[in-house]
Amino acid sequence: MAHLRATGRIVISLFRSVKNEQRVLNERCVSTVVAIRKLPMPQSSELSYCRLPHRHLFFDHKNRNPFRQSRRKEYSEERILGYSMEQMYNIVAEVDQYKEFIPWCTKSQVFSQRPGYCKAVMEVGFPPIIERYTSELTLIRPRLVRAECRDGHLFSHLLTTWQFRPGVPDNPNSCTLRFSVSFEFRSRLHSKLSTLFFDEVVNTMVGAFLKEARKQYGPASIKNRKPTILIHQS
């Protein structure tokens, strides 16, 4: 009986000890919370380092799928030509004549024009593909002709750029050409045909204009030189 009483006193003593420790702990927690509330709130700029920039999200509205493979194709080259900047500019800027010497161009007609700018209806044919679209051209004589597809149903993007700079020193009948083209079909169904279109443009575009230059201005002042390929993303 005495043993049970001693055990009970020990249990009661332990209970009181635990209760006192819990009370002290609660008081410390309350003191800590009160102290934190008294601290000045940081400005939003001080918290900005905690935020993840939206562009770093793995899937977001700007970068919907990082595994999506772009269907856009690009090509750019640079070469020295045996014709002057003015001569080459005249040929490239005469859009109405494209249908006469570009093999896959079946129609080219300017319908709106002002200094430094024009619009033309273009039609290209790579059977079974036939596409008609509006081309908007930026013209800076004799240095730049930039043509971009508008209102097309087949292409979501088509951009062609001709840039001319002086060529061989002391040879005014030469120039340096930088030619670039990039395009993308709207439909995935046409993606398999994109290589056909791309190769045809890359292989014949500059050659067709050089052939026309020879027809209009005679033989080139220098031998034909191989182009330096700057970009070839096919």
Side-chain angles (χ1 to χ4, degrees):
M1 195 69 173
H3 177 69
L4 290 175
R5 289 195 188 108
T7 302
R9 285 194 295 271
I10 293 172
V11 170
I12 292 171
S13 178
L14 289 173
F15 177 78
R16 288 175 178 173
S17 177
V18 169
K19 191 173 182 180
N20 288 336
E21 290 180 0
Q22 183 66 44
R23 179 179 55 80
V24 172
L25 181 60
N26 289 340
E27 290 175 354
R28 288 178 178 175
C29 289
V30 171
S31 299
T32 302
V33 171
V34 171
I36 291 175
R37 286 179 176 177
K38 291 181 179 180
L39 292 174
M41 287 299 292
Q43 299 298 319
S44 59
S45 60
E46 295 174 354
L47 293 175
S48 61
Y49 69 91
C50 297
R51 300 173 183 168
L52 273 176
H54 188 71
R55 64 179 179 274
H56 288 168
L57 296 178
F58 198 64
F59 292 94
D60 63 77
H61 72 285
K62 292 183 180 179
N63 185 27
R64 294 180 180 83
N65 188 348
F67 297 111
R68 179 183 178 274
Q69 187 175 9
S70 174
R71 300 192 300 274
R72 183 167 297 187
K73 296 182 181 295
E74 297 181 63
Y75 175 82
S76 180
E77 70 170 46
E78 187 172 283
R79 67 169 82 184
I80 297 178
L81 307 178
Y83 297 95
S84 69
M85 294 171 57
E86 190 75 24
Q87 289 172 335
M88 291 305 303
Y89 174 87
N90 288 339
I91 294 174
V92 178
E94 287 293 331
V95 181
D96 282 330
Q97 299 301 313
Y98 283 9
K99 59 183 177 294
E100 303 297 333
F101 63 87
I102 298 179
W104 36 266
C105 181
T106 58
K107 183 176 182 178
S108 56
Q109 183 178 359
V110 174
F111 65 88
S112 177
Q113 193 169 14
R114 65 174 186 264
Y117 175 83
C118 74
K119 283 185 178 182
V121 174
M122 305 292 294
E123 187 176 274
V124 295
F126 296 92
I129 298 175
I130 300 294
E131 166 70 342
R132 178 177 293 186
Y133 61 92
T134 299
S135 182
E136 293 188 0
L137 289 91
T138 301
L139 308 166
I140 302 176
R141 179 181 294 273
R143 297 185 176 276
L144 174 70
V145 178
R146 182 182 186 272
E148 185 171 7
C149 169
R150 300 289 189 185
D151 305 324
H153 300 289
L154 185 63
F155 301 107
S156 61
H157 170 82
L158 175 59
L159 176 64
T160 306
T161 304
W162 300 78
Q163 295 174 286
F164 304 105
R165 304 194 314 272
V168 178
D170 301 323
N171 185 350
N173 290 321
S174 69
C175 69
T176 300
L177 163 68
R178 175 169 289 194
F179 167 75
S180 64
V181 59
S182 61
F183 81 95
E184 182 176 350
F185 285 124
R186 290 188 185 278
S187 170
R188 291 181 180 273
L189 295 176
H190 291 109
S191 294
K192 292 183 179 180
L193 300 174
S194 62
T195 300
L196 172 65
F197 178 83
F198 185 71
D199 289 346
E200 184 71 16
V201 171
V202 168
N203 293 331
T204 65
M205 179 69 93
V206 177
F209 281 85
L210 287 176
K211 185 176 180 180
E212 182 66 14
R214 181 180 178 88
K215 178 180 177 181
Q216 293 190 27
Y217 302 112
S221 64
I222 60 175
K223 289 184 178 180
N224 187 29
R225 301 186 182 186
K226 290 184 178 180
T228 300
I229 309 301
L230 305 176
I231 300 174
H232 193 169
Q233 183 179 328
S234 60

